[in-house]
Amino acid sequence: MSPSYLAQDPTLADFGRDPWWLVLGKIVFAFAFGLLATLLGVWFERRVVGYMQVRPGPNQVGPFGLLQTLADGLKMAFKEDILPKAADKVVYFFAPTISVICAVTALSVVPFGPMVSIFGHHTPLQVTDVPVAVLLLLACSSMGVYGIVLGGWASGSTYPLLGGLRSSAQMISYEVAMGLSIVAVFMTAGTMSTSGIVAKQAHGTQLSIGGFDLPAPGWYAILLLPSFIIFFIATVGETNRAPFDLPEAESELVAGFMTEYSSLKFALFMLSEYVAMVTMSAVTTTLFLGGWRAPWPITIWDGANSGWWPMLWFFGKVIALVFVFVWLRGTLPRLRYDQFMRLGWKVLLPINLVWILVLSGLRSIEDWDTRGKVIAVGIPAGILLIATIFWPSRKPKPQPTTQEQVDNRPHGSFPLPPMDLQVPPSPRITRVVAEREPANIVAGSDSREV
């Protein structure tokens, strides 16, 4: 078989050798992918949510309403650009661009496919890759916080400032859970290079249990299922998507940090949200879903991971994750802020720490013999099982009845309404009841019933 039809994983040595026009073409492609995916993502979300709510959604402008997002963008561009009087003009102008640039920059280290031939040059379908590429992804997502908090502060208004602080606390909190989830990927893959992580998921792994070698899938979404679930929840919170879209506070009836923005600046903030959603879907695909490699049973075909076909599988996985984002928005109600922060700090973070501890323990005993592995795993598992069985349960205290609550009220408390829902007569109203004596009429002989 010709080498051009064989799937070839790029390595770090394959980057930095392309001519300038090929590098520029890759950059333009990544930027165009982010913008085009955002335009189609807005249309996709409105159509899917409309289908879930049994209504058509946008269907007038263009075929199937595909040009509705473009029409909305043009309409927003021609709207009046209002600048608040107390705003810091420089920071107010650059805050939306920070969010968009950080979201698009993260696509530079995302692999879209294997090694291909472009006009005679053998090059990977990726802008660039570095030994710490995943740290670059975390840095880009962290820098997006600056655009939000600066946009709220530079508006010179109270509600945008509160929304910016609320959003920045939200993003920072879930950044911790996201980073710990990626630690499990580092430990399993042994590299921080995105192309290397995709290459490590190419083949299934072998699990040795009881002396038997059992095949296991190569996708980290299955091998590292707790990390995958926590990472995806953290990405939803990181991108301010429903049910974690807490910048739009219902009690304030405002749009959070972008309340004072209008026209194209408002459009940039909205664009950054959708670009971040597409970018995080691409990052999740790279880290946990095998990247550009085809899923089973497509892998039965020998040429599934060769040439330009892997881009199709990559885009299909990204679209599937974007659908999950939309599905969450159309299904779950918005959380309260305290519930949201409690989920991040008291649920996701402890579970992630315990999972990493367990995973590191399993990695450290890989070279042991079967007996040592059974002892090392069985003793902690037995202790945990016994502790779970004999752990004292908290029985809820019996709730006092309504009459007991009334009887235990302190002296001098406010009067209570009647518990039986029957309103007694007012003591200020006196009723005079006329009592009549029965009439004693003797019936005569000619009496008749009237």
Side-chain angles (χ1 to χ4, degrees):
M1 182 178 293
S2 174
S4 60
Y5 294 99
L6 295 176
Q8 181 179 351
D9 291 295
T11 61
L12 293 176
D14 296 320
F15 295 92
R17 299 182 177 181
D18 298 329
W20 66 269
W21 56 268
L22 189 54
V23 175
L24 182 61
K26 290 183 179 181
I27 295 174
V28 172
F29 171 78
F31 182 74
F33 166 74
L35 294 185
L36 185 60
T38 300
L39 293 176
L40 296 178
V42 177
W43 169 84
F44 180 76
E45 178 175 12
R46 296 173 68 180
R47 291 284 292 189
V48 171
V49 173
Y51 177 79
M52 292 178 178
Q53 298 174 352
V54 196
R55 56 183 180 83
N59 59 356
Q60 297 297 318
V61 184
F64 305 103
L66 283 170
L67 299 180
Q68 183 64 54
T69 306
L70 182 61
D72 292 341
L74 293 176
K75 178 185 67 175
M76 196 172 296
F78 287 102
K79 284 189 174 182
E80 181 181 2
D81 190 6
I82 301 174
L83 179 65
K85 186 175 182 180
D88 188 319
K89 297 181 180 179
V90 177
V91 181
Y92 180 84
F93 176 79
F94 281 106
T97 60
I98 294 175
S99 300
V100 176
I101 291 173
C102 292
V104 175
T105 304
L107 292 173
S108 60
V109 292
V110 173
F112 294 91
M115 300 289 291
V116 296
S117 179
I118 301 178
F119 298 110
H121 293 274
H122 207 50
T123 180
L125 283 176
Q126 184 176 353
V127 177
T128 187
D129 195 8
V130 291
V132 290
V134 182
L135 295 184
L136 177 62
L137 296 175
L138 287 176
C140 291
S141 61
S142 301
M143 288 291 292
V145 179
Y146 285 92
I148 291 176
V149 70
L150 290 177
W153 173 80
S155 299
S157 181
T158 304
Y159 283 126
L161 179 60
L162 293 176
L165 294 177
R166 183 169 58 242
S167 300
S168 60
Q170 166 184 339
M171 296 177 71
I172 293 172
S173 301
Y174 279 74
E175 189 79 23
V176 178
M178 181 186 299
L180 288 176
S181 300
I182 299 178
V183 170
V185 178
F186 295 166
M187 294 169 55
T188 307
T191 179
M192 295 185 185
S193 167
T194 51
S195 59
I197 292 174
V198 173
K200 291 293 183 178
Q201 301 178 70
H203 306 287
T205 58
Q206 296 290 330
L207 297 180
S208 179
I209 301 177
F212 297 97
D213 291 334
L214 301 178
W219 285 11
Y220 292 153
I222 302 176
L223 292 177
L224 308 175
L225 183 60
S227 296
F228 171 66
I229 295 175
I230 295 174
F231 181 85
F232 191 77
I233 294 175
T235 57
V236 178
E238 182 80 9
T239 53
N240 290 326
R241 292 283 305 177
F244 305 146
D245 53 339
L246 300 180
E248 294 83 6
E250 294 177 343
S251 60
E252 301 168 4
L253 298 178
V254 293
F257 59 90
M258 50 185 173
T259 301
E260 300 291 346
Y261 281 87
S262 60
S263 189
L264 282 179
K265 298 183 183 65
F266 178 81
L268 284 177
F269 268 129
M270 295 297 296
L271 179 69
S272 65
E273 176 182 331
Y274 282 91
V275 171
M277 180 177 66
V278 174
T279 301
M280 295 313 298
S281 298
V283 172
T284 306
T285 300
T286 301
L287 298 181
F288 293 96
L289 299 180
W292 45 265
R293 293 191 171 272
W296 188 88
I298 304 177
T299 51
I300 298 176
W301 173 38
D302 293 335
N305 294 321
S306 303
W308 296 88
W309 287 105
M311 291 186 63
L312 180 61
W313 322 135
F314 179 82
F315 293 153
K317 296 175 184 178
V318 172
I319 293 173
L321 290 177
V322 171
F323 172 77
V324 176
F325 274 95
V326 178
W327 190 6
L328 293 176
R329 176 182 175 180
T331 305
L332 300 178
R334 182 179 297 154
L335 271 70
R336 289 203 321 261
Y337 190 74
D338 60 317
Q339 294 174 336
F340 178 65
M341 299 301 285
R342 187 183 301 115
L343 174 66
W345 288 105
K346 294 187 177 181
V347 178
L348 298 184
L349 187 60
I351 292 177
N352 220 338
L353 290 173
V354 173
W355 165 244
I356 292 175
L357 180 63
V358 172
L359 184 62
S360 60
L362 294 176
R363 295 282 296 177
S364 62
I365 64 174
E366 283 184 346
D367 299 331
W368 293 11
D369 57 357
T370 304
R371 182 182 178 185
K373 290 181 181 180
V374 172
I375 295 175
V377 175
I379 293 178
I383 295 175
L384 180 61
L385 180 61
I386 295 174
T388 304
I389 295 175
F390 294 99
W391 191 267
S393 60
R394 290 185 179 181
K395 294 183 178 180
K397 297 176 63 177
Q399 296 292 333
T401 62
T402 305
Q403 188 60 40
E404 291 176 350
Q405 295 180 17
V406 173
D407 297 338
N408 295 331
R409 296 173 69 245
H411 179 70
S413 301
F414 288 99
L416 288 176
M419 297 292 102
D420 55 359
L421 300 180
Q422 294 182 5
V423 180
S426 175
R428 299 180 181 180
I429 301 177
T430 58
R431 292 185 177 183
V432 179
V433 180
E435 296 181 357
R436 297 184 302 172
E437 295 181 358
N440 297 324
I441 302 175
V442 180
S445 57
D446 58 346
S447 63
R448 56 178 181 162
E449 184 178 358
V450 179

